[in-house]
Amino acid sequence: MTDRVTDAPEPGPEGPARCAAVLAWPPRSPAAPPGLDPEEFRLALLEDTYEVVAGLELVTPALVLDPPDQPDAEAVTWPGTPIVREPTLAGAFAALHALGAGTAALIAPDAPDLPPLLIGKLFRALGTAPAAACQAEGAAARGNGLVALAARLPLPGWLAAALRETDLDTPDALARLRAAAPRPGLVPQGPGWHRLRTPDDLRFLDPGLEGWENTRALLEGHPLGR
């Protein structure tokens, strides 16, 4: 299968073209609660997360695939959505830059209720820094990885090198990126959010919040662990 791409996104009135891409990278461990098909649950999370980025103003939504052949994942996108096939964050950022993006955010596929405002905060942080991160919330001592990472494009060399061996699931991802930076303050942290990587994480979902409709429908009748 060849890459499917669209015309490069057009710059908006606020500056260079922005792109927000969801990573369709299958989880390292099944997150579905008992009684649900793990693949069906993964696609529900992916579609809801994609709908978050697709609803952003002045931002082009995109999908990043690894493995590259995922027709079910492609099917959740709107027509004309740019799709790239890259196994690393560095490669994904480079591909989005080749499509015309001047800034981009990469978002984990398991954040179906992510507030759009948090992605907007990452883009705003790029006005004074080359990258900005939204850290995954939780109680793990070593960290919980990232929900999203935004960057100006093309990436500076130190960040591109670090992202070849670091992804959003790396527990100490933020610490690694900051250690690779030539000086402090180059990777600011925005407000954190949660990801749904285990059945226990369902407790973070708030039924009173709008959105995450596909995940909500799939979980009907399943306790959220509150």
Side-chain angles (χ1 to χ4, degrees):
M1 178 181 294
T2 59
D3 286 2
R4 175 162 69 92
V5 299
T6 66
D7 294 337
E10 294 293 335
E14 297 183 358
R18 294 174 174 177
C19 186
V22 181
L23 304 176
W25 294 358
R28 294 173 179 173
S29 59
L36 292 183
D37 178 79
E39 182 64 9
E40 187 177 5
F41 186 66
R42 179 180 81 90
L43 290 172
L45 297 180
L46 176 67
E47 183 167 4
D48 284 337
T49 307
Y50 170 80
E51 291 292 337
V52 171
V53 303
L56 295 171
E57 295 184 0
L58 304 175
V59 175
T60 298
L63 192 67
V64 181
L65 301 181
D66 182 48
D69 187 11
Q70 297 184 56
D72 288 344
E74 291 189 43
V76 309
T77 65
W78 297 0
T81 296
I83 293 178
V84 299
R85 307 169 202 282
E86 290 288 346
T88 67
L89 299 184
F93 276 124
L96 295 174
H97 180 55
L99 290 176
T103 58
L106 300 179
I107 295 101
D110 46 21
D113 59 341
L114 180 65
L117 177 64
L118 297 191
I119 303 176
K121 287 180 179 293
L122 295 182
F123 280 120
R124 284 193 291 275
L126 298 182
T128 56
C134 172
Q135 195 160 26
E137 294 179 337
R142 292 180 56 225
N144 297 276
L146 303 177
V147 177
L149 178 68
R152 298 180 200 158
L153 305 177
L155 295 177
W158 61 267
L159 183 54
L163 290 179
R164 293 188 186 101
E165 298 181 353
T166 303
D167 60 30
L168 301 187
D169 286 327
T170 304
D172 58 345
L174 182 57
R176 289 191 184 197
L177 299 182
R178 286 177 167 172
R183 63 181 186 276
L186 295 186
V187 190
Q189 178 182 350
W193 195 251
H194 49 260
R195 294 175 56 185
L196 306 184
R197 288 177 282 191
T198 71
D200 186 56
D201 291 333
L202 296 179
R203 72 185 190 277
F204 294 122
L205 291 171
D206 183 352
L209 289 179
E210 295 182 357
W212 56 282
E213 298 301 334
N214 296 283
T215 304
R216 191 191 306 269
L218 208 57
L219 290 174
E220 187 175 358
H222 290 263
L224 296 182
R226 291 181 176 271

